[in-house]
Amino acid sequence: MTAMSGRRDIRLWNSAAGQYAEHVNGTSDSFYRRLAPFLWQALGDVSGRSVLDLGCGHGWLGEQLRSAGAVVTGIDGSTALLERAAGAFPDITFVAHDLTAGLPRPLTQYHAVVAHMVLMDLPDLDQLVRDVRDSLTPQGSFTFSILHPSFFAQEPVDDGERYRKVTGYLRHEQRWITTFGGHQHYHRPLSWYVDLLVSNGFVVTGLHEPPTLPHHTRPESEWTDYERWFATIPTMLALTCRPAPASAV
């Protein structure tokens, strides 16, 4: 079932590639602006280091990593997105591979793996997380961002008091997301992600819940009252982790 789901999801992303690439257009994207301080603190100096951009899409984040001095490989299941990536960023190695099957064999060693807004769109993560752990150098890091399981897609309410109505949080659910022409989203609670990491030999070293930024980049002094409220509840989170010492596994 997972393999079928993975192939179906890849077809959807191939169909959505044009809309996605036009909408998510690089460092001005609000999700990247939320992630960037945490990501670069977690990565440190990447000069000369091998970095995997996991679920690289059309390659813009990989190019940020390459511009910072990293030797970058990008892996994604969508050939349509990878065609755009390869055309725009010829100095990065891009590989087409269904991530529900883990990483391509033979495994390559990386100093860091980054997965920005990817894992919640994959129906199965067990093999992938295991392979990421086995691909990292002993001092390597795995940093990823996902839509916040607690608050994303929970309806904002304004009935004299503004809040998000959270329901069904602990249930694992498959949800249809209409953006970019439509794709599947796989909801799991945060504890599930942490348990998955720990069971595969990771130690969590950082958690980031940034304010939800508007799509525009105007200064906060020019935000609407609604935008200021909206920012107080995170709709994205990021985690960074490292391989546990062998004695602790």
Side-chain angles (χ1 to χ4, degrees):
M1 182 65 180
T2 297
M4 293 177 61
S5 298
R7 289 193 294 270
R8 177 200 60 201
D9 289 342
I10 288 171
R11 289 195 298 270
L12 289 169
W13 280 108
N14 281 334
S15 298
Q19 291 187 50
Y20 179 75
E22 182 177 346
H23 182 82
V24 181
N25 53 10
T27 56
S28 63
D29 179 68
S30 67
F31 285 101
Y32 176 76
R33 288 186 283 121
R34 295 178 235 177
L35 173 68
F38 179 79
L39 172 64
W40 291 103
Q41 181 180 26
L43 289 174
D45 184 3
V46 296
S47 299
R49 293 183 171 270
S50 58
V51 179
L52 172 60
D53 183 5
L54 183 65
C56 62
H58 53 301
W60 64 271
L61 179 56
E63 177 62 13
Q64 297 302 309
L65 296 163
R66 190 202 64 80
S67 296
V71 179
V72 180
T73 300
I75 299 178
D76 201 282
S78 170
T79 54
L81 285 168
L82 289 177
E83 286 176 5
R84 292 172 177 268
F89 309 115
D91 294 325
I92 297 175
T93 299
F94 292 105
V95 178
H97 185 75
D98 181 356
L99 296 177
T100 62
L103 294 179
R105 267 38 182 186
L107 295 178
T108 300
Q109 288 285 289
Y110 300 102
H111 295 100
V113 176
V114 177
H116 178 43
M117 304 301 286
V118 176
L119 302 188
M120 72 282 173
D121 292 335
L122 297 174
D124 186 82
L125 298 177
D126 292 338
Q127 186 65 52
L128 180 61
V129 171
R130 187 158 50 247
D131 287 352
V132 168
R133 170 63 182 81
D134 291 342
S135 296
L136 282 172
T137 61
Q139 300 303 315
S141 65
F142 177 34
T143 303
F144 66 88
S145 61
I146 58 174
L147 292 168
H148 200 300
S150 300
F151 305 114
F152 170 74
Q154 305 291 5
E155 191 67 25
V157 178
D158 190 347
D159 58 5
E161 180 182 6
R162 289 175 177 152
Y163 57 93
R164 282 187 182 268
K165 184 177 181 180
V166 178
T167 61
Y169 170 71
L170 290 176
R171 290 196 301 268
H172 288 230
E173 294 181 348
Q174 180 176 317
R175 301 171 181 169
W176 179 251
I177 306 298
T178 59
T179 50
F180 320 128
H183 63 282
Q184 298 291 341
H185 168 89
Y186 299 92
H187 166 78
R188 304 110 169 174
L190 177 56
S191 59
W192 182 89
Y193 284 96
V194 174
D195 289 344
L196 178 66
L197 293 169
V198 172
S199 66
N200 281 285
F202 281 105
V203 174
V204 176
T205 57
L207 171 65
H208 180 49
E209 295 179 292
T212 300
L213 298 179
H215 291 297
H216 63 73
T217 57
R218 295 191 292 274
E220 187 173 350
S221 60
E222 297 180 16
W223 292 6
T224 66
D225 288 343
Y226 186 83
E227 287 170 340
R228 290 191 184 92
W229 167 78
F230 201 79
T232 64
I233 301 177
T235 52
M236 185 196 91
L237 67 79
L239 282 163
T240 191
C241 52
R242 297 184 180 277
S247 60
V249 177

